[in-house]
């Protein structure tokens, strides 16, 4: 952080930078925005303007410490107005910054899934359906093939299963993307919902594909 961000960009706001980096690592898999970070800094009596926060986010991302994934939308205004999701280059950094490694497993599970998708191609963004249901990743492989991918650690709860399938099938109709995948900790099967086929695959197998 000091060498690749603070020194490189001649930043005098080292305390603020450290807070922002830790805050982003702790919310890996969740949404954040400059406004939210601005409010968090104020609560810690750390004064930093929103323009400076935007610049800081760019510097941290430029150092490949974190990645900020926007909303997948045809409108540039929608992409800019909506919060971005945060993922870390190394999930060990995330685990080092959270008070309890077992808390919020779902969001933590998203981080290695994102990193693997990034290795395979391009994550175009997360998708929010018209009804407000979220799909974690809109992905484009190097050959141009597109997929909708959900990261769900545990699919055993029926309400969770229904929510994940509803989000994927609705997003499929809205985007025209037909290849649908749910990456889980251990479940492997094929689901059918609303005329769509959804591949459910355990992370260990998916990561080895």
């Amino acid at each position: 952080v000091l060498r690749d961000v603070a020194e490189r960009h001649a930043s005098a706001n080292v305390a603020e930078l450290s807070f922002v980096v830790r805050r982003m690592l702790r919310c890996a898999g969740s949404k954040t925005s400059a406004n939210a970070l601005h409010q968090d800094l104020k609560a810690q009596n750390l004064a930093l303007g929103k323009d400076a926060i935007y610049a800081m986010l760019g510097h941290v991302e430029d150092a490949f410490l974190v990645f900020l994934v926007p909303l997948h939308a045809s409108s540039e205004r929608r992409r800019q107005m909506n919060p971005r999701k945060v993922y870390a280059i190394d999930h060990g950094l995330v685990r080092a910054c959270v008070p309890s490694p077992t808390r919020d497993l779902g969001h933590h599970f998203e981080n290695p899934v994102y990193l693997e998708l990034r290795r395979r191609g391009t994550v175009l963004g997360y998708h929010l359906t018209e009804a407000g249901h979220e799909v974690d990743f809109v992905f484009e492989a190097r050959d141009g093939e597109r997929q909708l991918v959900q990261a769900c650690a545990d699919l055993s709860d029926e309400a969770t299963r229904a929510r994940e399938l509803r989000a994927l099938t609705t997003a499929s109709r809205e985007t025209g993307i037909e290849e649908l995948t749910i990456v889980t900790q251990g479940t492997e099967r094929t689901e059918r919902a609303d005329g769509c086929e959804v591949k459910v695959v355990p992370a260990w197998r998916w990561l080895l594909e």
Side-chain angles (χ1 to χ4, degrees):
V1 171
L2 291 175
R3 183 183 67 240
D4 295 336
V5 182
E7 292 181 9
R8 181 179 179 187
H9 298 282
S11 174
N13 302 306
V14 176
E16 292 82 356
L17 172 63
S18 178
F19 177 87
V20 166
V21 168
R22 287 182 175 274
R23 174 71 174 78
M24 294 175 75
L25 290 173
R26 290 181 66 171
C27 70
S30 301
K31 299 184 185 74
T32 193
S33 66
N35 186 62
L37 291 169
H38 178 68
Q39 296 300 321
D40 289 344
L41 283 163
K42 283 178 63 177
Q44 299 296 318
N45 294 318
L46 296 171
L48 198 63
K50 289 184 182 179
D51 287 345
I53 294 174
Y54 278 115
M56 190 175 287
L57 291 176
H59 297 160
V60 172
E61 192 172 21
D62 185 57
F64 291 95
L65 179 58
V66 300
F67 305 102
L68 300 172
V69 176
L71 176 73
H72 177 253
S74 58
S75 167
E76 180 63 26
R77 184 175 184 275
R78 280 196 69 202
R79 286 197 295 271
Q80 294 296 329
M81 292 294 292
N82 281 273
R84 291 177 287 177
K85 297 184 75 173
V86 180
Y87 298 100
I89 186 62
D90 185 337
H91 197 66
L93 297 172
V94 177
R95 294 291 291 260
C97 288
V98 295
S100 171
T102 58
R103 192 177 71 176
D104 205 2
L105 177 61
H107 282 144
H108 286 272
F109 190 69
E110 281 187 42
N111 203 84
V113 173
Y114 167 80
L115 292 175
E116 176 61 16
L117 288 173
R118 182 182 173 88
R119 188 184 69 81
R120 296 180 183 187
T122 303
V123 177
L124 300 174
Y126 67 93
H127 185 81
L128 200 62
T129 69
E130 293 178 1
H133 307 306
E134 184 180 307
V135 172
D136 295 325
F137 306 110
V138 181
F139 169 69
E140 184 175 278
R142 290 191 175 90
D143 60 5
E145 184 178 2
R146 293 191 176 191
Q147 298 180 38
L148 296 175
V149 180
Q150 289 282 56
C152 181
D154 185 1
L155 206 61
S156 61
D157 179 71
E158 182 57 32
T160 300
R161 172 184 170 275
R163 182 184 68 244
E164 302 292 342
L165 291 174
R166 180 176 62 239
L168 279 171
T169 56
T170 304
S172 178
R173 290 194 298 271
E174 293 178 358
T175 63
I177 299 173
E178 298 181 351
E179 187 167 351
L180 313 177
T181 302
I182 302 176
V183 182
T184 70
Q185 278 197 300
T187 306
E188 184 172 15
R189 60 174 180 258
T190 298
E191 294 273 6
R192 295 186 182 277
D194 294 336
C196 299
E197 182 177 289
V198 181
K199 180 182 178 182
V200 182
V201 59
W204 68 266
R205 183 185 299 282
W206 181 77
L207 289 165
L208 292 173
E209 289 179 352

